[in-house]
Amino acid sequence: MITTHTLGYPRVGAQRQLKFALEAYWAGRAPRATLTDIGAELRRTHWHDQAHAGCTFVPVGDFSFYDHVLDMSFTLGHLPQRVQGFEGHVLDNMFRVARGRSVRHAHAGTHSEGCCGHAAHGGEVQGDDVQAGEMTKWFDTNYHHIVPEFDADTTFALDASRLLDQLAEARAQGHRAKPVIIGPVTYLWLGKARDGSERLALLDRLLPVYAQLLDALAAAGATWVQIDEPVLCTELDEAWRHALRVAYHRLHSAAPKLLLTAAFGPLRDQLHLAATLPTAGLHVDATTARDELPALLNVLPSTKVLSLGVVSARNIWATDLNATLTWLRPVHERLGDRLWLAPGCSLLHVPVDLAQETQLDPELRPWLAFARQKLDEVQVLATALRLGPQAADAAPQAQLSANREAIAARHRSPRVHRPAVQEALSAIGGQATAARATPHRQRAALQAQALQLPAFPTTTIGSFPQTAEIRATRAAFKRGELDATAYDAAMRAEIAQAVAEQESLGLDVLVHGEAERNDMVEYFGELLDGYLITQHGWVQSYGSRCVKPPILYGDVQRRGPMTVAWTRFAQSLTTKPMKGMLTGPVTMLNWSFVRDDQPRALSALQLALAIRDEVLDLEAAGVRVIQIDEAALREGLPLRRSDWAPYLDWAVAAFRLATNGVRDSTQVHTHMCYSEFNDIIGAIAAMDADVITIETARSQMELLEAFERFAYPNDIGPGVYDIHSPKLPDTSDMVALMQRAARHIPPARLWVNPDCGLKTRRWDEVRPALARMVAAAQQLRTTLA
């Protein structure tokens, strides 16, 4: 019998039940009990699905009401000082850290703590506002986590109740459960020491709490504990490697067996360390590190379990099961029962169930596998290994034959390979990926003359609130209940309102608000050949925020103009500059499920060529400011710095290809959010955007440290308030942030803007926030200009 398991399962639910339950609770429409009941039902369903699919173990602790890193902080008794004085329910304190505000709302005569910005009666509680925790990407995925905050005096104290309760839950339902926790070294590595102290100095305080946690889990019946150390797949200096040795030599005597997991890439120079740490098992993602298997098998202790990730948990393509069996059988022959099978990492990063896609193109369906189908793939591989290669009539034979045909059909499909696209890219030549011929300083003078903007010009990132009315109109149009003429009229009315609101607020460079767009990537995917759009392919980005990545399955080309008519209409409503709004090629790539049959660089250039056509059409329509968002530029970086240069080279080249065909007087903007940019600031400068708007509010302008050693040459709009928190920003705080920025960047090159788009906020939050932002800009003009 081969042990099969998962490292984690999507937690929002097949119908996004968790998202809607969270938002109802935050808005005061539902009591806490409803939220926790829905959480319990999701856990029950997910455990049942995994057990029913044949998993030996089900994971416990992978479910979270907001973020698993934040959960670990609470388990370790590590709360930011700003929430330590609150006595509310643990969920509400968690939401305070994640979202920045708590409010009280009433249900049936009682009061409970929520976290949204509005009470049931419409009032606000201002006295317990707190700053939201910093948020950044979980390794190289599109999942965001809350960054742990440390200082030299940080202490830890165990609160195992969440894990113990869920373990008891799973066992009561008859499951063999495997608790999942973040390892101590990765936990410290993920955090930031605000006072400049050394994070590793906290390891001695942290390890006793981990030992207590493992003892508690063992006493509650856990025989195995999955302890995630994805830091093993990054570049580590000797101090961090030593920390791993110290940690696991201290923890190896704990009662439960430890399955050390290293996901998201190859181990490389950490291979021997990972294999020989004193744990009972090691998991590696063989879908990204299969070349390391021979070396790993040579150093793996003879008593240690090796869990292999044999299907990708980061993409939605059906696994080539026959090819996988070819290399997997010799490993099974060598290891026997010590071989476990699993997806490569947590299935958090893929949609739940392909069976929901009732309208999917029948040609493309066999090419795909979502989380539920990936469980089946693991079981087919396990069964085939158990029965052996000679069992021609074995149960999985039909599945293996169907899989072979699906893989072959995908690779020969003319919808995947379009010669016209490949020829167009070849014809444009390498010069098209160069920087714009005229230096920014000269372009800036021409743009200033054309746009006539004041000092500290104000703008927004692009989107305005996606109201219930907008979503209802879009849904009615998709269902065929609203014809194209009526839909167009409704969207134009929304655009007119957004323009009027901006005029009233006094913003300088306007946007049309993107009412017609369901998502900044999916919208364009619907209009480009080579993309497939799902109905229910949702994945969690953070908290209640879910995205539905389109599937890039073939060569990309534009069918026709995608945004020109909307932008031209918006510009007709105002004399102020109206930004054309596009999503950049690298973000289109990184926020899609991407084909795996050609280099990602080539797909990025194909996307850039399609976007370039749109950029030139916007300019021809009279648009003088064009924003090409590259919000996801950094998250495509390889985990190891030594691998960064090739990625940054083609990412910068793709952006230049999309943008360098415009006139010097056309101002090109880009936007980036929620990532660490200090260490790639040179590549950002090489993109040569005239203006970059960037997230800095939640991280308190941490990005500015980069400008102490790098003279950024172009204009920049450091975000002055965090749009992901419902907390209303203060004008004085925004002024102070910009004053800090002005110490590093000449005021003449500074813009004032939020740190991200406003689609997730309500108009009654947006109006006062932007009014204060405009007031901040006016104050800056009198003090710094």
Side-chain angles (χ1 to χ4, degrees):
M1 188 69 178
I2 296 177
T3 297
T4 59
H5 66 113
T6 68
L7 278 67
Y9 202 69
R11 53 200 182 216
V12 295
Q15 302 296 326
R16 292 180 290 162
Q17 297 96 310
L18 181 59
K19 168 190 172 64
F20 299 121
L22 283 168
E23 291 173 356
Y25 177 58
W26 292 336
R29 299 193 304 271
R32 187 188 303 123
T34 299
L35 174 61
T36 56
D37 286 349
I38 289 173
E41 176 58 23
L42 286 170
R43 291 192 295 272
R44 187 196 67 77
T45 300
H46 298 162
W47 290 331
H48 172 270
D49 287 351
Q50 292 170 86
H52 184 71
C55 289
T56 311
F57 291 102
V58 299
V60 165
D62 59 324
F63 177 84
S64 174
F65 281 104
Y66 200 95
D67 166 46
H68 59 275
V69 180
L70 185 58
D71 284 352
M72 198 69 208
S73 292
F74 275 72
T75 298
L76 298 171
H78 175 216
L79 279 67
Q81 289 184 352
R82 60 182 176 274
V83 299
Q84 288 181 4
F86 291 103
E87 301 295 335
H89 190 274
V90 63
L91 272 181
D92 299 308
N93 280 335
M94 184 182 299
F95 297 147
R96 285 188 181 96
V97 177
R99 306 182 70 243
R101 172 178 290 177
S102 171
V103 301
R104 298 180 179 89
H105 50 266
H107 292 284
T110 63
H111 287 79
S112 63
E113 294 291 327
C115 183
C116 179
H118 287 269
H121 60 276
E124 294 186 353
V125 176
Q126 298 289 349
D128 55 359
D129 285 2
V130 296
Q131 181 185 340
E134 182 179 347
M135 188 164 58
T136 196
K137 301 298 173 70
W138 172 249
F139 291 87
D140 60 349
T141 75
N142 189 33
Y143 176 80
H144 304 63
H145 70 86
I146 302 296
V147 178
E149 301 172 18
F150 305 124
D151 58 42
D153 298 322
T154 294
T155 58
F156 304 96
L158 180 64
D159 179 357
S161 56
R162 172 184 62 91
L163 284 164
L164 294 175
D165 289 349
Q166 292 186 24
L167 179 58
E169 234 180 289
R171 286 166 58 83
Q173 293 169 24
H175 301 300
R176 191 176 177 190
K178 169 171 57 71
V180 176
I181 61 175
I182 297 172
V185 178
T186 290
Y187 181 74
L188 291 176
W189 187 86
L190 291 170
K192 289 186 176 180
R194 297 297 184 188
D195 61 353
S197 60
E198 175 53 57
R199 288 169 288 168
L200 283 179
L202 301 173
L203 187 63
D204 284 342
R205 299 179 201 169
L206 185 58
L207 290 178
V209 180
Y210 268 85
Q212 294 169 23
L213 174 58
L214 293 173
D215 288 344
L217 292 172
T223 56
W224 281 88
V225 171
Q226 175 185 317
I227 190 160
D228 295 340
E229 291 282 12
V231 71
L232 282 160
C233 298
T234 70
E235 281 176 341
L236 297 177
D237 62 27
E238 180 52 33
W240 287 95
R241 287 194 289 269
H242 178 68
L244 285 160
R245 286 189 286 268
V246 168
Y248 289 94
H249 278 88
R250 291 193 191 175
L251 297 176
H252 84 279
S253 60
K257 297 177 181 179
L258 298 183
L259 179 67
L260 180 70
T261 73
F264 305 136
L267 291 163
R268 295 190 188 171
D269 49 346
Q270 266 88 246
L271 184 147
H272 186 273
L273 173 64
T276 57
L277 285 172
T279 60
L282 171 67
H283 172 88
V284 296
D285 184 356
T287 69
T288 60
R290 182 159 62 89
D291 291 345
E292 292 185 339
L293 272 180
L296 184 60
L297 291 170
N298 285 338
V299 298
L300 191 76
S302 60
T303 57
K304 182 172 286 193
V305 162
L306 179 62
S307 170
L308 291 182
V310 290
V311 303
S312 173
R314 297 280 302 276
N315 219 323
I316 43 64
W317 302 113
T319 303
D320 188 335
L321 298 175
N322 297 277
T324 301
L325 281 170
T326 299
W327 63 261
L328 192 55
R329 280 196 172 103
V331 180
H332 179 237
E333 291 170 2
R334 181 166 176 174
L335 296 180
D337 291 345
R338 289 194 295 127
L339 175 65
W340 292 12
L341 301 184
C345 62
S346 170
L347 291 165
L348 171 70
H349 310 290
V350 294
V352 177
D353 192 356
L354 186 65
Q356 295 189 107
E357 301 299 324
T358 57
Q359 299 177 20
L360 201 61
D361 188 315
E363 180 186 357
L364 275 58
R365 175 182 285 276
W367 303 355
L368 307 176
F370 292 178
R372 185 62 185 79
Q373 288 68 45
K374 290 178 185 293
L375 299 179
D376 294 336
E377 289 183 332
V378 171
Q379 295 307 317
V380 170
L381 292 169
T383 303
L385 288 178
R386 178 173 57 83
L387 295 174
Q390 306 307 318
D393 298 326
Q397 193 60 37
Q399 293 161 295
L400 291 171
S401 297
N403 174 260
R404 182 183 291 110
E405 175 53 34
I407 299 297
R410 179 184 163 206
H411 289 304
R412 65 173 177 255
S413 172
R415 297 174 64 181
V416 173
H417 306 289
R418 303 172 189 268
V421 175
Q422 298 163 16
E423 291 166 7
L425 195 56
S426 297
I428 200 165
Q431 186 60 32
T433 60
R436 292 165 76 178
T438 305
H440 171 259
R441 181 174 298 182
Q442 297 176 32
R443 301 198 308 264
L446 296 172
Q447 292 161 16
Q449 183 178 3
L451 299 174
Q452 296 293 304
L453 298 175
F456 296 99
T458 56
T459 190
T460 64
I461 305 307
S463 60
F464 275 110
Q466 289 270 317
T467 63
E469 292 76 15
I470 291 175
R471 293 193 297 271
T473 301
R474 187 184 299 121
F477 179 55
K478 286 192 171 185
R479 291 192 302 266
E481 299 167 3
L482 200 67
D483 64 24
T485 301
Y487 175 76
D488 185 80
M491 292 301 103
R492 285 176 177 250
E494 295 288 350
I495 291 170
Q497 180 198 348
V499 173
E501 294 276 6
Q502 293 170 86
E503 291 267 22
S504 176
L505 288 163
L507 290 163
D508 300 308
V509 176
L510 311 189
V511 297
H512 79 288
E514 304 178 16
E516 80 288 359
R517 302 185 191 183
N518 47 9
D519 175 82
M520 65 183 290
V521 174
E522 184 178 8
Y523 172 80
F524 291 99
E526 290 175 329
L527 300 172
L528 292 168
D529 288 333
Y531 266 102
L532 170 69
I533 307 300
T534 64
Q535 294 170 270
H536 304 288
W538 296 99
V539 295
Q540 184 183 29
S541 180
Y542 61 87
S544 67
R545 172 72 170 149
C546 298
V547 294
K548 186 154 62 74
I551 298 171
L552 198 169
Y553 69 87
D555 292 337
V556 176
Q557 63 184 3
R558 192 183 70 143
R559 301 186 201 116
M562 301 178 287
T563 66
V564 176
W566 301 116
T567 309
R568 184 189 288 122
F569 170 71
Q571 183 64 83
S572 72
L573 303 175
T574 180
T575 59
K576 292 186 174 182
M578 177 64 60
K579 281 196 287 191
M581 299 298 305
L582 305 173
T583 303
V586 180
T587 296
M588 287 291 298
L589 189 81
N590 287 336
W591 285 355
S592 299
F593 291 120
V594 182
R595 60 190 294 190
D596 56 1
D597 62 332
Q598 70 178 21
R600 291 172 69 88
L602 180 56
S603 294
L605 291 175
Q606 290 179 355
L607 283 161
L609 195 60
I611 294 165
R612 179 189 181 92
D613 290 341
E614 187 73 12
V615 167
L616 296 178
D617 280 352
L618 283 168
E619 184 182 62
V623 179
R624 295 171 291 170
V625 182
I626 302 173
Q627 180 171 311
I628 301 97
D629 289 338
E630 285 294 16
L633 178 81
R634 195 187 196 282
E635 73 187 50
L637 277 173
L639 288 177
R640 295 171 182 265
R641 186 182 293 266
S642 57
D643 296 332
W644 284 7
Y647 166 78
L648 290 172
D649 285 348
W650 63 254
V652 169
F655 184 84
R656 287 173 168 179
L657 175 58
T659 60
N660 66 7
V662 297
R663 296 187 295 268
D664 292 340
S665 58
T666 297
Q667 191 174 75
V668 172
H669 290 223
T670 191
H671 171 69
M672 298 177 185
C673 62
Y674 289 103
S675 289
E676 304 286 347
F677 292 107
N678 300 40
D679 46 10
I680 60 166
I681 193 69
I684 292 173
M687 292 166 66
D688 200 27
D690 295 302
V691 182
I692 179 173
T693 52
I694 198 162
E695 182 276 326
T696 54
R698 187 172 283 207
S699 58
Q700 291 295 294
M701 293 278 176
E702 186 178 279
L703 175 72
L704 298 177
E705 296 172 7
F707 299 111
E708 295 176 0
R709 58 184 182 276
F710 183 88
Y712 187 77
N714 300 5
D715 289 12
I716 185 166
V720 294
Y721 79 91
D722 173 21
I723 68 90
H724 293 95
S725 170
K727 180 180 179 181
L728 185 63
D730 292 329
T731 297
S732 59
D733 290 340
M734 291 187 275
V735 169
L737 287 173
M738 291 302 295
Q739 288 171 335
R740 287 186 59 195
R743 299 187 198 119
H744 302 271
I745 303 161
R749 292 199 276 115
L750 283 172
W751 287 60
V752 180
N753 47 263
D755 61 15
C756 204
L758 299 164
K759 67 179 292 184
T760 60
R761 301 259 61 93
R762 300 187 307 272
W763 274 109
D764 59 356
E765 296 169 318
V766 167
R767 291 187 191 96
L770 290 182
R772 293 183 181 187
M773 188 188 82
V774 170
Q778 292 168 343
Q779 185 174 331
L780 290 163
R781 288 165 192 161
T782 63
T783 59
L784 288 181

